[in-house]
């Protein structure tokens, strides 16, 4: 079983839409959680960390449910520039990061 | 503001050749790591290091060697290239203290093709 699983998408949404991505992780000992964004043929870049109490950064909201081993990312008022692949990342044993295969988002005009 | 620098950006090898992918960071990060990314798959950890002189294996270490003689540099060596090693390779670094909350900073990647 994969450490981190994501719906690959693609999610095709119009500008202004709200879209949510989900991610599940298999190891309950996982310690920290992140969402990264990756543009086509580019390196991953940190979008936001995910905290137990949930956290928000502008149009982006991340939630963590440790009991269900589930992480989510909500994007409100989607922009064309949000089109990218979103990677769910889990850290375990302090030194090992596990990446989901990513969810592709296409925001259409 | 260099961050994490990887060289080369592109490389084509023949099966059986060896080569070294270079990675350097100027942020004084203790933790450095190498990943490979294949189509439809997430990044998979090859090797990592928590400081100079200390390295350890990740998920997919076979066919690769690493060393960490300085804090700044973390080269990845392919011993005898195989077509299955065709991939995009990313180097990343992060702070170690309180490391569970420290995100990783990535280089631009090296696109490697093995013929």
């Amino acid at each position: 079983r994969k450490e981190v699983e994501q719906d690959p998408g693609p999610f095709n949404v119009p500008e202004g839409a709200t879209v949510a991505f989900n991610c599940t992780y298999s190891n309950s000992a996982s310690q920290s959680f992140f969402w990264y964004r990756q543009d086509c043929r580019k390196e991953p870049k940190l979008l936001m960390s995910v905290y137990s109490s949930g956290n928000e950064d502008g149009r982006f909201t991340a939630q963590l449910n440790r009991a269900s081993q589930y992480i989510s990312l909500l994007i409100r008022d989607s922009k064309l520039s949000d089109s990218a692949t979103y990677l769910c990342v889990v850290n375990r044993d302090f030194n090992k990061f596990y990446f989901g295969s990513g969810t592709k988002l296409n925001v259409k005009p | 503001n260099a961050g994490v620098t990887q060289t080369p950006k592109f490389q084509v090898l023949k099966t059986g050749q060896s080569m070294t992918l270079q990675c350097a960071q100027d942020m004084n990060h203790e933790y450095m790591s190498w990943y490979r990314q294949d189509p439809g798959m997430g990044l998979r950890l090859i090797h990592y290091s928590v400081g100079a002189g200390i390295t350890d294996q990740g998920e997919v270490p076979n066919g690769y060697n690493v060393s960490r003689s300085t804090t700044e540099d973390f080269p990845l060596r392919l011993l005898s290239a195989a077509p299955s090693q065709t991939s995009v390779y990313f180097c990343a670094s992060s702070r170690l203290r309180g490391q569970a909350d420290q995100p990783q900073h990535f280089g631009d990647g090296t696109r490697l093709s093995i013929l």
Side-chain angles (χ1 to χ4, degrees):
Chain A
R1 184 183 174 187
K2 288 184 179 179
E3 287 270 346
V4 181
E5 304 232 34
Q6 292 182 252
D7 181 343
F11 284 58
N12 298 308
V13 302
E15 272 188 292
T18 295
V19 61
F21 305 139
N22 301 322
C23 164
T24 57
Y25 59 96
S26 62
N27 196 308
S28 60
S30 299
Q31 294 149 314
S32 57
F33 310 89
F34 307 91
W35 283 101
Y36 277 73
R37 170 194 170 126
Q38 186 174 27
D39 293 296
C40 187
R41 300 181 68 80
K42 297 285 191 181
E43 76 277 19
K45 292 185 178 178
L46 178 69
L47 179 66
M48 59 196 302
S49 301
V50 186
Y51 301 116
S52 297
S53 55
N55 48 299
E56 188 174 303
D57 182 1
R59 298 181 293 108
F60 299 86
T61 301
Q63 297 279 352
L64 168 64
N65 185 323
R66 285 189 185 268
S68 301
Q69 295 179 200
Y70 168 98
I71 306 159
S72 66
L73 176 68
L74 183 77
I75 305 176
R76 291 181 298 278
D77 188 22
S78 299
K79 312 291 185 192
L80 294 176
S81 57
D82 293 334
S83 296
T85 296
Y86 291 83
L87 305 173
C88 177
V89 183
V90 169
N91 176 284
R92 178 162 65 82
D93 302 331
F94 287 98
N95 297 327
K96 296 185 178 179
F97 291 81
Y98 296 90
F99 285 73
S101 54
T103 299
K104 188 172 175 60
L105 173 65
N106 295 317
V107 181
K108 310 285 191 184
Chain B
N1 208 12
V4 180
T5 302
Q6 288 184 237
T7 56
K9 294 196 184 310
F10 303 94
Q11 184 70 50
V12 179
L13 291 178
K14 294 181 179 178
T15 297
Q17 286 184 312
S18 62
M19 81 160 292
T20 299
L21 307 186
Q22 301 291 344
C23 176
Q25 53 91 10
D26 61 0
M27 298 173 281
N28 202 30
H29 284 167
E30 301 93 338
Y31 183 85
M32 295 186 73
S33 53
W34 276 102
Y35 295 86
R36 59 177 290 173
Q37 186 174 31
D38 301 298
M41 301 185 71
L43 280 74
R44 291 183 292 168
L45 182 64
I46 304 172
H47 285 284
Y48 65 94
S49 167
V50 297
I54 306 169
T55 64
D56 207 346
Q57 296 182 348
E59 295 176 80
V60 288
N62 293 340
Y64 307 95
N65 273 358
V66 292
S67 59
R68 184 94 179 269
S69 55
T70 67
T71 300
E72 293 78 21
D73 299 297
F74 191 44
L76 177 72
R77 279 182 286 278
L78 278 71
L79 308 173
S80 176
S84 61
Q85 294 177 305
T86 292
S87 190
V88 180
Y89 291 84
F90 288 103
C91 179
S93 73
S94 67
R95 293 180 61 81
L96 191 60
R97 187 175 304 173
Q99 199 257 352
D101 290 333
Q102 297 298 319
Q104 295 191 83
H105 301 264
F106 284 84
D108 293 343
T110 295
R111 283 163 178 76
L112 182 62
S113 293
I114 316 293
L115 305 178

